[in-house]
Amino acid sequence: MSTSLLPPLNALRAFEATARLGGVGRAAQALHVTHGAISRQLKLLEDHLGLALFQRAGRGLRLTAAGTRLQEACSDAFSGIEDCVRALQRPAASPALVLGCSGSVLARWMIPRLPALQAALPGVHLQWSALDGSFTETQATLDAVLLLAQGPWPRGWQVRELAPERVGVVVAPSHPAAHRLRHVPPSTLLQETLLHTSSRPQAWPAWAQAHDLDPAQLQLGTGFEHLYYLLEAAVAGLGPAIAPEPLVAEDLAAGRLVAPWGFAATGGFWVLARPDGPVDARVDVLADWAAAQLQ
């Protein structure tokens, strides 16, 4: 013999609908049953409780004190059950895709393209971290990192080469060097004071060697901790700088910068790297999108 005090659930449902809608007829319509079926369930419930839940009020019904208490309990209970079922039927949200890149790449290349990336990954919540360096332990805790790097690639990483890295000298048209450097060989740059960044100390020496110039003859002027600040200084007309092509493409198109000798490959690559582990299809979509953007 059951010791549960819980009344029959059909009776409670009929009572809740009658109390909420203010009548047996309306409850019958809402629950798609007959008027008689609702009446029988209400009587069953009152008999089970040994209490009157309604009293006649003209041609309608009015809740008794006991009925009011039970209505409040039923309303909360059925609402809670509906919320739970709705949550159970809702597809589970995928965890955020946590990505990393340098602050300069994030600010100058990725952020302006986030709407396009979100369109390529609909419904995916993206979380970005600005991290310098390449293949660090901190980066290994992320889902993937977008890097400018040169092989060989370290063990423990899956690396996809997206596009060759190309760098070049850029200068604002307002700076006197922009006029002096037109239609002259790269060796003319040895006469200019150059902006540089501590985050890429080999950028200028490598460029000089690629153009058969002695790096020791370069005149380095104001230095900046990050490439982002270096490029902002170049746009502000403070002097010639050196930059990866994608990070200044919009400035070149808008006329904020000019590149006297264009851009040349460094031997490095834009890569999307992820630590070894389970494959995440979202990272593959991201890689395809980034490769297309960098072409």
Side-chain angles (χ1 to χ4, degrees):
M1 180 177 179
S2 174
T3 58
S4 174
L5 295 177
L6 186 66
L9 293 180
N10 284 340
L12 286 174
R13 193 57 169 156
F15 165 76
E16 187 278 333
T18 302
R20 173 167 48 85
L21 299 173
V24 172
R26 294 191 185 95
Q29 290 179 343
L31 298 180
H32 306 289
V33 295
T34 65
H35 186 287
I38 295 294
S39 296
R40 287 192 293 273
Q41 292 295 335
L42 294 179
K43 183 177 186 308
L44 176 65
L45 181 59
E46 289 183 327
D47 289 345
H48 180 91
L49 298 173
L51 295 168
L53 300 174
F54 295 96
Q55 55 183 251
R56 292 286 178 183
R59 299 181 62 181
L61 296 175
R62 184 173 63 188
L63 286 167
T64 63
T68 298
R69 287 187 62 186
L70 185 59
Q71 181 198 23
E72 293 173 352
C74 285
S75 178
D76 291 343
F78 283 120
S79 176
I81 292 171
E82 288 178 353
D83 290 344
C84 180
V85 170
R86 190 178 298 111
L88 291 172
Q89 293 178 334
R90 185 183 303 125
S94 298
L97 188 61
V98 185
L99 308 167
C101 63
S102 73
S104 302
V105 171
L106 181 59
R108 284 197 139 254
W109 192 82
M110 184 56 69
I111 287 178
R113 291 167 175 78
L114 282 181
L117 176 56
Q118 199 66 70
L121 288 167
V124 176
H125 176 58
L126 300 173
Q127 181 176 327
W128 285 92
S129 294
L131 299 172
D132 289 322
S134 297
F135 305 105
T136 65
E137 292 184 5
T138 301
Q139 290 170 347
T141 65
L142 308 181
D143 292 314
V145 287
L146 180 64
L147 301 172
L148 285 163
Q150 191 166 358
W153 311 123
R155 297 178 61 183
W157 290 84
Q158 301 173 40
V159 179
R160 176 170 167 183
E161 297 175 359
L162 305 176
E165 180 189 27
R166 291 165 50 84
V167 303
V169 176
V170 293
V171 62
S174 60
H175 192 277
H179 302 282
R180 293 194 292 265
L181 298 177
R182 288 179 179 174
H183 312 299
V184 296
S187 59
T188 309
L189 194 68
L190 298 177
Q191 304 169 22
E192 303 294 336
T193 302
L194 310 176
L195 304 177
H196 61 100
T197 172
S198 57
S199 65
R200 303 195 75 183
Q202 294 304 313
W204 276 120
W207 180 89
Q209 290 174 346
H211 290 81
D212 297 322
L213 302 176
D214 181 4
Q217 296 184 32
L218 295 171
Q219 301 182 53
L220 299 183
T222 304
F224 299 87
E225 183 178 1
H226 297 292
L227 179 60
Y228 174 79
Y229 302 133
L230 170 71
L231 298 181
E232 290 298 304
V235 171
L238 300 186
I242 188 166
E245 184 177 13
L247 298 193
V248 293
E250 293 184 6
D251 295 297
L252 295 170
R256 293 186 291 267
L257 292 173
V258 295
W261 303 291
F263 296 84
T266 65
F269 290 88
W270 288 77
V271 303
L272 192 72
R274 57 186 172 193
D276 285 340
V279 174
D280 188 330
R282 299 174 300 174
V283 175
D284 292 328
V285 174
L286 171 62
D288 291 340
W289 174 86
Q293 292 286 316
L294 289 165
Q295 295 303 318

